[in-house]
Amino acid sequence: MPSHRRTFQGVLILLGLVVLGTGALDIVSGTTALPGDPYAGPTLDSNYRFFAGVWCALGLVLFAAAPRPEDHALALRGVFAAVFAGGLARGVSYLAVGAPHALFTAFIGVELLLPPLLLLWYGRLSGARSGRAGA
């Protein structure tokens, strides 16, 4: 199972890079990074950049957990739950005000599918590790 653990660690690092990179871009550029009409008033821009900062923090948690994911179960579950909740919120927006840009519609699927899959993978790795330790 060590190669599966290394692969999982690599996925955490890759996701951390994507999350931190997109969050930093959103903090620096604000809503101008969005496809379509990027104009937002000061209140929406402020809120957008705030959540970009939270997104960056999730990326940092992924980086911190990658070297020893087994020691960061609660943090990883929290990140997975936060991203899943974000996907649910996007779904609410889709139903309430209509379809966003196609890229963001696709994100709904990613955010609702990837976290549960990562959680299952993590659970299998954790179960295999604890089973090996008890043997």
Side-chain angles (χ1 to χ4, degrees):
M1 198 64 79
S3 66
H4 293 288
R5 181 178 180 273
R6 282 191 210 96
T7 303
F8 185 76
Q9 289 172 301
V11 167
L12 291 179
I13 291 168
L14 179 62
L15 289 173
L17 286 170
V18 169
V19 170
L20 193 57
T22 56
L25 174 68
D26 288 344
I27 289 170
V28 170
S29 63
T31 59
T32 62
L34 296 172
D37 182 11
Y39 176 75
T43 301
L44 183 57
D45 184 81
S46 174
N47 203 46
Y48 183 81
R49 291 178 200 242
F50 168 82
F51 282 109
V54 172
W55 187 238
C56 283
L58 294 179
L60 292 174
V61 171
L62 292 172
F63 281 135
R68 295 190 47 85
E70 60 277 1
D71 293 341
H72 300 281
L74 185 59
L76 287 173
R77 289 180 183 131
V79 169
F80 301 155
V83 174
F84 185 81
L88 290 175
R90 281 191 205 272
V92 168
S93 174
Y94 185 98
L95 295 173
V97 297
H101 186 276
L103 177 66
F104 290 90
T105 301
F107 285 162
I108 296 170
V110 172
E111 292 158 353
L112 294 178
L113 293 174
L114 189 59
L117 292 174
L118 289 170
L119 186 60
L120 286 171
W121 186 8
Y122 180 70
R124 293 189 73 172
L125 289 175
S126 297
R129 185 170 176 84
S130 65
R132 198 173 60 234

